Amino acid sequence: MALFDHKISELKELLHKKEITVSDLVDESYQRIQAVDDKVGAFLALNEENARTYAKELDEALESRNEFGLLFGMPIGVKDNIVTKGLRTTCASKILENFDPIYDATVVKHLQTAEAVTIGKLNMDEFAMGSSTENSGYKPTRNPWNLETVPGGSSGGSAAAVAAGEVPFSLGSDTGGSIRQPASFCGVVGLKPTYGRVSRFGLVAFASSLDQIGPITRTVEDNAFLLQAISGIDEMDSTSANVEVPDFLSSLTGDVKGLKIAVPKEYLGEGVNEEVKQSVLDALKVLEGLGATWEEVSLPHSKYALATYYLLSSSEASANLSRFDGVRYGYRSDNAENLIDLYKQSRAEGFGNEVKRRIMLGTFALSSGYYDAYYKKAQKVRTLIKKDFEDVFEKYDVIIGPTTPTPAFKIGENVKDPLTMYANDILTIPVNLAGVPGISVPCGLSNGLPLGLQIIGKHFDESTIYRVAHAFEQATEHHKAKPEL
């Protein structure tokens, strides 16, 4: 049995009993990366020298101290749009190919306080724009369950690394499903916290009103550990919320008696694969057997979510990415004859096609004469989508549906068809527009590929989501399935 088949709580116990060392855990991570990452392609940069030095320090601390951080000695991978001091951060883009940050993101500082060990930086769609990790400026990542298929995106490297056993958990970011969709495709647990639960300081912005950092893990319990470590208000981030961080682990009771579940008819409608529908209905039967009840509801404005999301996120991306101009840091074109040329050519050569597509769409939506027709209207529809969720949550505790309409698709299958690619996020996007939390947990297999169950909760009520997800996980065996690499 590999060490990473154990939960965090079990690994911590093995450390304290002196049956393993932190160096053993770090060794296991790098050995596994050495063995499989040429096939999977999850990592963009490794932090090996620093990680091994820190592991030795923690091993010494194990002998001399009585108090330890929440994630003491646990190896973690970090998505490449979260800045790490002295460890290259590229957002999987050529425009940042030589960028070494001079500070740590707040979540990285939280990981240091919790005494986790950063193993390396994980591949992603460039600037988090994509649903397959095929838009990386460096290489595609492959799904460990079937190397011919995508791992999802944009946090494809984060999900694939956990599924492949390269790290026990990782951090991703979710703008329209970018944690939950790859978690579903790779058969792992991925949570998008409530907007404001986790600081975004040091997360390279794609769409500031939607982006949220969250944990990707093998089990629900591990997920709660990681969210516990990274949550909280941050004076460096004006969008982080001043709300109490509860003890997430105490909500893992397995008890869902009397819980009311809403199942939106829109989430099981046209375009959702029959096996995906069936896996959700089977999951609802499991939860019914545990004492919960469910009813069909409607989220009528969710049909507008895709258009709303791509207008708003592209508009914010157009503004956020204007800072990459070839002047202060990042890629600079060698062919420019004047300053305007430098801007144009650095951006033309540095950005990939998908990023350019979204910058152009966003700039158009924000331009004079079109702002009211597109951007302003999209903001109004966003409010209606949020109101749909609020109405449902007046009567129900959680909303449940599939995470994705289909299992993972083949590499290259949708890359030339942006609209089909965008539709992959149709079930996850409304959650970001409303700012509520959502988790994806494994709920079955289709032709050997994982399927995900999405559980959505009220604002800042991750505890109830964890309670439902944990009860379902304990009553089934889906989370125990592993890819044969």
Side-chain angles (χ1 to χ4, degrees):
M1 186 177 182
L3 284 176
F4 296 164
D5 290 340
H6 294 279
K7 295 186 294 190
I8 291 172
S9 54
E10 294 166 345
L11 289 173
K12 285 170 83 165
E13 198 176 319
L14 291 171
L15 282 171
H16 294 310
K17 285 181 177 170
K18 312 277 196 298
E19 290 180 26
I20 59 168
T21 63
V22 177
S23 294
D24 290 338
L25 292 171
V26 171
D27 279 346
E28 171 131 350
S29 199
Y30 285 119
Q31 283 166 16
R32 184 69 175 159
I33 291 166
Q34 182 74 37
V36 302
D37 205 59
D38 59 336
K39 295 184 201 136
V40 177
F43 280 88
L44 284 178
L46 294 176
N47 187 38
E48 190 162 359
E49 192 179 331
N50 291 339
R52 290 189 185 281
T53 304
Y54 187 43
K56 285 188 184 125
E57 285 173 28
L58 293 178
D59 284 333
E60 286 165 19
L62 206 51
E63 302 293 332
S64 58
R65 279 180 10 208
N66 296 320
E67 289 192 8
F68 304 97
L70 187 64
L71 302 174
F72 182 85
M74 298 298 128
I76 186 166
V78 177
K79 188 175 176 179
D80 200 34
N81 59 347
I82 298 169
V83 301
T84 41
K85 186 176 179 180
L87 180 58
R88 189 149 293 182
T89 301
T90 69
C91 294
S93 177
K94 295 282 191 214
I95 210 156
L96 283 176
E97 64 186 359
N98 56 6
F99 178 55
D100 293 317
I102 55 171
Y103 68 97
D104 281 316
T106 297
V107 288
V108 174
K109 286 184 176 168
H110 284 325
L111 292 176
Q112 289 162 358
T113 303
E115 299 186 294
V117 183
T118 302
I119 293 297
K121 302 302 287 291
L122 293 156
N123 197 20
M124 55 186 280
D125 285 298
E126 184 181 1
F127 284 103
M129 297 180 190
S131 308
S132 65
T133 317
E134 291 169 286
N135 291 329
S136 167
Y138 299 99
K139 61 182 179 184
T141 297
R142 296 173 180 273
N143 191 324
W145 288 84
N146 177 344
L147 296 169
E148 300 298 306
T149 61
V150 302
S154 63
S155 307
S158 300
V162 174
E166 296 175 286
V167 281
F169 49 64
S170 65
L171 286 183
S173 69
D174 192 310
T175 309
S178 288
I179 286 172
R180 290 158 292 148
Q181 186 247 23
S184 173
F185 279 6
C186 291
V188 291
V189 179
L191 174 93
K192 183 208 90 79
T194 308
Y195 185 81
R197 169 69 82 194
V198 177
S199 170
R200 292 186 305 107
F201 179 72
L203 173 70
V204 180
F206 160 18
S208 309
S209 75
L210 298 159
D211 299 339
Q212 193 62 188
I213 296 168
I216 297 177
T217 57
R218 293 287 287 278
T219 67
V220 175
E221 184 187 293
D222 286 2
N223 210 278
F225 262 108
L226 190 44
L227 185 64
Q228 196 77 51
I230 63 173
S231 294
I233 188 167
D234 176 20
E235 62 181 15
M236 303 297 285
D237 173 14
S238 61
T239 64
S240 82
N242 188 10
V243 294
E244 193 185 339
V245 179
D247 177 3
F248 296 119
L249 289 158
S250 67
S251 62
L252 308 182
T253 59
D255 178 22
V256 290
K257 282 191 182 71
L259 186 103
K260 290 177 160 178
I261 299 168
V263 180
K265 61 184 183 188
E266 292 82 3
Y267 285 21
L268 293 173
E270 190 185 346
V272 178
N273 174 303
E274 281 306 317
E275 285 183 85
V276 171
K277 274 186 209 172
Q278 193 54 51
S279 72
V280 172
L281 295 172
D282 292 345
L284 289 167
K285 275 190 200 135
V286 170
L287 291 166
E288 268 187 314
L290 295 171
T293 57
W294 68 274
E295 289 173 16
E296 191 177 81
V297 297
S298 178
L299 295 171
H301 295 99
S302 57
K303 62 185 173 192
Y304 306 117
L306 210 58
T308 302
Y309 169 83
Y310 279 99
L311 277 166
L312 295 179
S313 65
S314 299
S315 297
E316 292 183 28
S318 159
N320 279 327
L321 270 60
S322 62
R323 72 192 71 171
F324 302 106
D325 54 13
V327 176
R328 287 157 295 181
Y329 51 79
Y331 175 81
R332 177 183 291 188
S333 173
D334 294 329
N335 307 318
E337 291 179 10
N338 55 50
L339 187 61
I340 300 300
D341 247 15
L342 177 69
Y343 291 156
K344 281 183 179 173
Q345 293 188 27
S346 297
R347 288 167 69 80
E349 293 164 21
F351 287 136
N353 288 339
E354 183 58 35
V355 175
K356 289 176 189 169
R357 185 183 286 124
R358 297 200 199 192
I359 289 172
M360 288 167 72
L361 174 61
T363 307
F364 173 77
L366 291 174
S367 60
S368 174
Y370 295 102
Y371 176 89
D372 284 357
Y374 294 108
Y375 182 77
K376 192 173 173 186
K377 191 176 279 183
Q379 287 288 26
K380 288 177 176 176
V381 177
R382 179 181 191 169
T383 304
L384 295 174
I385 290 166
K386 184 169 175 279
K387 180 81 169 58
D388 283 350
F389 279 99
E390 287 166 0
D391 291 346
V392 169
F393 282 133
E394 279 178 14
K395 296 182 195 161
Y396 300 92
D397 299 302
V398 292
I399 294 170
I400 283 183
T403 309
T404 58
T406 65
F409 47 89
K410 282 205 159 72
I411 288 174
E413 194 177 323
N414 295 335
V415 79
K416 296 276 192 287
D417 183 356
L419 291 179
T420 303
M421 194 72 95
Y422 295 172
N424 267 287
D425 300 330
I426 198 156
L427 301 171
T428 51
I429 278 171
V431 171
N432 297 76
L433 291 169
V436 293
I439 196 169
S440 178
V441 291
C443 69
L445 294 171
S446 169
N447 296 324
L449 290 169
L451 303 173
L453 180 75
Q454 182 173 213
I455 305 163
I456 302 162
K458 300 170 186 174
H459 283 102
F460 298 105
D461 192 15
E462 287 87 356
S463 295
T464 301
I465 292 182
Y466 277 142
R467 183 157 62 94
V468 179
H470 184 254
F472 174 72
E473 185 183 79
Q474 296 308 299
T476 57
E477 300 283 307
H478 302 306
H479 64 291
K480 294 181 179 172
K482 280 168 58 181
E484 296 291 328
L485 251 178

